[in-house]
Amino acid sequence: MANNAPPRWDRKMQQRLARGEAAALGELYDRFASLVHSQAHRMLDDESAADLVTREVFGYVWENPDAYDPKQGSMRSWVARLTHRQSVQRLRSTATAATTSTYEDAEDGEVRADPADLEERVRRATAAARADYIVASMPAPLRAALELAYIQRRDYRQTAADLGVTEDEARRRLRLGLQLLSTAHTRPLEGSSPPGYGRRP
């Protein structure tokens, strides 16, 4: 029988945040801060902007714990959606500010804004962030196989030996991992944007 209830940790964390437990926010931060920061940094390519997005995401979670809907997925995926949404907003606002500044500096409108370029940048950043999220979220055996094959440049035989599994199992893990990664370019990051996220904390 399918169980649609969120994991116990997610339910308890939401309850603790709703009660205003500062320790709960600290625990949530310890668990997800690296995910949030790396995802934001991958999208924005800016350390200080990623720091700011990280603060904004956890500020929003602290002030709006009831915005988490267990039916939409785990708390981890909710935090990833919040990060994605906030990073896209910052990417667009930064591009708008840069375009405005360019217009003010340009003579006779020589430089023109290109919304298509911005949307392509958002699309690429979203796919990259989704790929990072997929790798971080996939089962450890799949992640280990991908890291050996693509980061350490092992072939499937060496990967099998390093992992202590058969060559067929190593190939299966690599195939599954790559299938998961292939969805990074075809689907939005972990579902739709959360309702009401545009509100500032």
Side-chain angles (χ1 to χ4, degrees):
M1 183 171 79
N3 181 6
N4 294 324
R8 177 178 292 181
W9 186 90
D10 291 355
R11 289 195 307 270
K12 286 190 173 181
M13 176 56 66
Q14 184 180 35
Q15 292 164 359
R16 291 172 63 200
L17 289 168
R19 288 194 299 264
E21 288 186 29
L25 182 63
E27 185 179 330
L28 189 80
Y29 184 89
D30 289 344
R31 182 173 282 210
F32 296 134
S34 62
L35 170 71
V36 171
H37 191 274
S38 65
Q39 182 179 322
H41 191 275
R42 182 69 181 262
M43 293 189 71
L44 300 169
D45 195 26
D46 183 316
E47 187 73 23
S48 60
D51 290 344
L52 185 57
V53 166
T54 301
R55 289 194 299 271
E56 289 170 346
V57 166
F58 285 100
Y60 178 84
V61 169
W62 175 245
E63 293 192 3
N64 301 276
D66 292 333
Y68 167 57
D69 182 0
K71 294 176 185 173
Q72 297 296 317
S74 67
M75 187 163 281
R76 178 188 180 96
S77 66
W78 179 58
V79 168
R81 286 195 305 271
L82 295 177
T83 305
H84 177 256
R85 175 76 179 254
Q86 193 64 18
S87 297
V88 168
Q89 287 178 352
R90 185 155 298 282
L91 190 61
R92 287 186 169 136
S93 66
T94 301
T96 300
T99 299
T100 301
S101 174
T102 301
Y103 269 128
E104 290 171 356
D105 295 341
E107 294 181 6
D108 301 322
E110 292 173 5
V111 179
R112 293 178 299 159
D114 189 350
D117 284 347
L118 173 60
E119 290 310 309
E120 175 61 19
R121 186 175 170 200
V122 168
R123 188 194 65 73
R124 283 195 313 265
T126 297
R130 180 168 172 76
D132 283 351
Y133 181 81
I134 289 169
V135 170
S137 302
M138 69 176 48
L142 300 186
R143 186 170 59 248
L146 285 178
E147 287 172 353
L148 284 168
Y150 294 98
I151 295 174
Q152 298 183 32
R153 301 293 193 197
R154 303 279 205 272
D155 64 24
Y156 75 92
R157 289 183 180 91
Q158 293 168 322
T159 297
D162 289 348
L163 294 175
V165 298
T166 66
E167 291 178 5
D168 284 344
E169 176 62 13
R171 279 195 297 263
R172 186 188 72 80
R173 291 181 187 183
L174 290 170
R175 184 172 55 252
L176 288 173
L178 290 173
Q179 286 172 346
L180 286 172
L181 275 176
S182 71
T183 66
H185 294 282
T186 58
R187 299 198 332 235
L189 185 73
E190 289 301 305
S192 59
S193 299
Y197 182 68
R199 297 194 313 271
R200 287 283 179 185

